[in-house]
Amino acid sequence: MVPYKHYGLLAIVSLMWMAGCSSPYVENNKIEEIAPVVFWSVDKGTEGKLKISTLVPPLIQEKKRLLSKEVDLLKQGSQEFNLVYYRELKQGQLRMLLINEELAKKGGIEKLINTILVDPDISMRVYLLIVRGDFDEYIKNQLTQQENQDYFLYRMLKHYEEHNQGEMSIVNIHTFMKKVYSPFKDPVLPVFHSDNNNFNYVGTAFFQNDKEVMVIQDVDDNIFQLLDNNHFLKVLAIPKFSISLGRIRSNVRMKLSSDYSTLSLHVGLKGRIEEYQGELNIQNEEQLEHLFHEMEVYLEEQTSDLLKRMQQLKVDPLEVGTHSLKPFSKEITDEQWMKHWENMRINVKYDIKVHPLINGAVDVR
């Protein structure tokens, strides 16, 4: 047992040991002297440089302004901003990374994302977005109308992530990089269009490793959400048939043939009719059945076309390749799977069961 007279000495030694293990550099975290960064916007600069922008200061009652710098490295941007702004920018509250589409098409965004991933101060739940157009001009224009636009964009993404109703693909950096490095899984990101007055969702971008190769939108994006994203859509509008279906849930079954030559995809849809502006009398059972059949054929053709484009571009965002993994069987490589995927025959079957709306009441079909 340690004598009481040695307790003070032990305490001093313990404090010295703890101090020796900690960094000799003290972080400046005074509220008056720091500015947490909410987003980085990354675009192509001149002469191969990166143009990095952010809004300062965030969330405090002070006139905001957009800071932009052309740099060679992402971390260099933070350093350059600190030389022209009286508050020290802190990246610990970074919530969004917006990457211009031209950079995404060129490839190499993996290096940008890795820079953020290895920073211990930054959360792995940073949202990743692809932007068409000039996001900086949009933010500048919005400063005169809505100063907290950066925070509102973050809240919008968080809302759609939490409710997950299929309106858009919401992806964070951890999810993206996990798919980049995993076999049979190609990453996706949401695409937004930006101009002086608007920032609108376009669709979903498919990536081959870290390079954007394809963007889908409208009905194709809705189909992808039903096949991949939680199998739910709050609204599925099909203008060709002048109809809107609501609260659609999908039951997706994929089956590969033993030699990987054929994929059978069965999609069951359940929901309700919420709007119909067509010429058919949907209160007539025969005409309603005809409408459903036409919709099934249409969705089968659209889905088959979407999958064929994925095959042509050698991407598998639906992770079909994971169905090749079976217990007690030899695992094929990613390269071997892609050769099978390129030449695979695809059979698609839809089965629609919805509740038609009749005289304000739901009649179960």
Side-chain angles (χ1 to χ4, degrees):
M1 187 173 180
V2 181
Y4 285 106
K5 63 182 180 181
H6 294 311
Y7 280 174
L9 179 61
L10 284 172
I12 294 173
V13 171
S14 298
L15 289 171
M16 291 175 64
W17 179 80
M18 291 171 64
C21 291
S22 61
S23 171
Y25 304 103
V26 179
E27 289 282 342
N28 175 21
N29 289 318
K30 291 183 179 180
I31 297 298
E32 300 83 1
E33 298 179 7
I34 63 173
V37 175
V38 175
F39 76 88
W40 287 122
S41 171
V42 185
D43 200 346
K44 285 179 21 179
T46 58
E47 299 179 354
K49 291 179 178 289
L50 297 173
K51 181 186 176 185
I52 302 177
S53 305
T54 192
L55 196 63
V56 294
L59 305 180
I60 63 173
Q61 297 301 317
E62 185 178 317
K63 188 174 181 180
K64 296 192 175 187
R65 60 192 176 108
L66 188 74
L67 296 183
S68 296
K69 284 288 182 180
E70 290 199 5
V71 294
D72 296 299
L73 301 169
L74 188 63
K75 286 289 185 178
Q76 190 181 0
S78 180
Q79 182 184 38
E80 293 282 341
F81 288 145
N82 286 332
L83 297 177
V84 296
Y85 186 59
Y86 75 98
R87 295 176 185 268
E88 182 181 354
L89 270 64
K90 294 284 188 177
Q91 300 179 61
Q93 294 300 313
L94 185 67
R95 291 294 178 263
M96 299 177 290
L97 178 63
L98 301 99
I99 301 174
N100 186 270
E101 189 173 33
E102 294 304 313
L103 278 178
K105 288 180 177 179
K106 184 180 178 182
I109 65 173
E110 171 192 350
K111 297 176 182 177
L112 291 174
I113 299 169
N114 271 332
T115 300
I116 293 176
L117 274 177
V118 299
D119 192 326
D121 294 329
I122 299 177
S123 167
M124 289 191 294
R125 297 188 63 82
V126 174
Y127 296 121
L128 271 179
L129 296 79
I130 301 299
V131 179
R132 289 179 179 175
D134 196 331
F135 181 73
D136 289 1
E137 289 301 316
Y138 168 75
I139 287 293
K140 287 178 184 177
N141 189 54
Q142 290 299 307
L143 284 177
T144 61
Q145 304 176 38
Q146 180 51 262
E147 289 190 350
N148 293 329
Q149 190 62 29
D150 52 344
Y151 179 69
F152 291 147
L153 286 178
Y154 162 68
R155 292 301 305 177
M156 177 191 73
L157 297 174
K158 188 173 179 63
H159 165 79
Y160 284 118
E161 179 187 43
E162 289 178 348
H163 291 274
N164 199 13
Q165 296 179 336
E167 285 96 341
M168 62 179 69
S169 303
I170 302 296
V171 182
N172 60 52
I173 58 174
H174 173 70
T175 301
F176 181 85
M177 293 305 293
K178 183 179 179 180
K179 290 194 174 185
V180 167
Y181 292 124
S182 298
F184 315 126
K185 298 180 181 180
D186 288 313
V188 303
L189 285 179
V191 180
F192 291 80
H193 179 265
S194 177
D195 57 32
N196 286 352
N197 300 307
N198 301 290
F199 187 76
N200 298 322
Y201 177 71
V202 174
T204 301
F206 296 161
F207 282 75
Q208 190 179 71
N209 295 321
D210 67 342
K211 180 180 181 180
E212 179 192 309
V213 295
M214 175 182 178
V215 175
I216 58 171
Q217 55 192 86
D218 301 327
V219 174
D220 284 342
D221 194 30
N222 289 335
I223 290 173
F224 178 74
Q225 302 296 335
L226 287 171
L227 297 179
D228 179 71
N229 185 17
N230 203 35
H231 309 308
F232 178 79
L233 267 183
K234 188 174 182 180
V235 177
L236 173 60
I238 308 179
K240 181 177 181 179
F241 299 102
S242 304
I243 194 170
S244 291
L245 305 180
R247 307 197 67 79
I248 299 296
R249 293 195 177 277
S250 60
N251 180 19
V252 180
R253 298 198 302 271
M254 295 185 187
K255 185 177 180 181
L256 290 174
S257 61
S258 57
D259 59 355
Y260 307 129
S261 63
T262 305
L263 167 67
S264 297
L265 175 65
H266 182 274
V267 185
L269 298 183
K270 291 184 178 181
R272 65 190 184 192
I273 296 177
E274 293 198 342
E275 179 183 9
Y276 181 66
Q277 300 289 342
E279 301 298 325
L280 295 177
N281 177 14
I282 62 173
Q283 296 185 21
N284 181 284
E285 185 174 348
E286 185 177 339
Q287 293 191 41
L288 186 62
E289 289 287 345
H290 176 73
L291 175 62
F292 288 151
H293 175 71
E294 292 295 314
M295 289 167 55
E296 288 171 347
V297 172
Y298 170 75
L299 290 173
E300 288 165 3
E301 292 174 349
Q302 289 291 118
T303 303
S304 296
D305 179 68
L306 177 60
L307 292 171
K308 286 176 182 177
R309 281 181 282 156
M310 293 180 189
Q311 290 177 294
Q312 292 169 357
L313 294 170
K314 301 180 181 180
V315 293
D316 183 12
L318 292 173
E319 303 176 18
V320 180
T322 58
H323 292 268
S324 68
L325 303 175
K326 298 177 181 178
F328 313 113
S329 62
K330 184 178 179 181
E331 183 177 329
I332 65 174
T333 66
D334 204 19
E335 292 75 17
Q336 289 173 327
W337 163 250
M338 196 50 64
K339 289 180 180 179
H340 289 298
W341 174 238
E342 288 180 71
N343 302 301
M344 191 173 293
R345 295 190 303 273
I346 299 176
N347 300 317
V348 180
K349 176 65 178 176
Y350 271 80
D351 184 18
I352 298 178
K353 296 184 182 299
V354 300
H355 303 300
L357 195 63
I358 299 178
N359 295 329
V362 174
D363 180 34
V364 179
R365 181 183 177 221

